[in-house]
Amino acid sequence: MRSIALSLLIALGTAGCGVLYKVDIYQGNLLDERNVAQLKEGMSKRQVLSLLGSPSVSDPFHANRWDYLATISQRGSEPEVKNLVLNFDGDSLASFDGDYFPKQDNELRIRLSRYGNLPREEREKARQSRAGR
């Protein structure tokens, strides 16, 4: 009985004090800075799709707006949210505005490439960049 009470007391004492490990969470689109730099007004939806990938949010009520949303939640800090908004006029890109995580996206892409979680083209790029160092 005494050991149960002691272990319960220790569990309650450490439950809320931050001793437990918290994982950094990255959600949303990983955008390559070079690809975002290539965006130009007048590009077709297909060109944008091949450059940036599919958007995080594609609203059926606003088919001419694509949102590339990304969130980073790191230990000890508030979640940070970035949103790159692309507006189309018909099939061509009319405007784009917003922000993304260029440095963090590249670092995360390199880290994920170690585990094979990227598409084949991205794995090849990462392998070549590591070989070139």
Side-chain angles (χ1 to χ4, degrees), residues 49-64:
L49 195 61
S50 68
L51 202 61
L52 299 181
S54 42
S56 317
V57 180
S58 184
D59 187 355
F61 298 108
H62 302 96
N64 290 328

Side-chain angles (χ1 to χ4, degrees), residues 32-105:
D32 192 342
E33 189 174 10
R34 296 170 298 203
N35 292 344
V36 174
Q38 292 179 28
L39 283 177
K40 294 184 180 116
E41 292 180 5
M43 293 178 83
S44 70
K45 286 184 177 181
R46 179 171 280 181
Q47 289 173 319
V48 172
L49 195 61
S50 68
L51 202 61
L52 299 181
S54 42
S56 317
V57 180
S58 184
D59 187 355
F61 298 108
H62 302 96
N64 290 328
R65 176 183 164 139
W66 288 1
D67 290 277
Y68 290 86
L69 192 68
T71 305
I72 295 179
S73 299
Q74 294 179 321
R75 290 170 285 213
S77 65
E78 292 293 316
E80 192 174 353
V81 179
K82 302 278 183 160
N83 190 15
L84 180 66
V85 179
L86 281 65
N87 292 299
F88 292 90
D89 185 16
D91 188 48
S92 64
L93 182 62
S95 66
F96 56 95
D97 188 31
D99 203 4
Y100 63 105
F101 297 106
K103 185 177 179 186
Q104 290 95 333
D105 285 355

Side-chain angles (χ1 to χ4, degrees), residues 90-130:
D91 188 48
S92 64
L93 182 62
S95 66
F96 56 95
D97 188 31
D99 203 4
Y100 63 105
F101 297 106
K103 185 177 179 186
Q104 290 95 333
D105 285 355
N106 287 332
E107 289 173 2
L108 184 59
R109 183 177 284 109
I110 290 168
R111 203 171 349 151
L112 287 177
S113 69
R114 295 182 202 154
Y115 305 108
N117 293 342
L118 294 173
R120 181 176 298 152
E121 307 86 46
E122 294 292 330
R123 283 195 305 259
E124 293 300 321
K125 285 181 195 176
R127 195 173 295 132
Q128 289 172 359
S129 69
R130 282 189 302 236

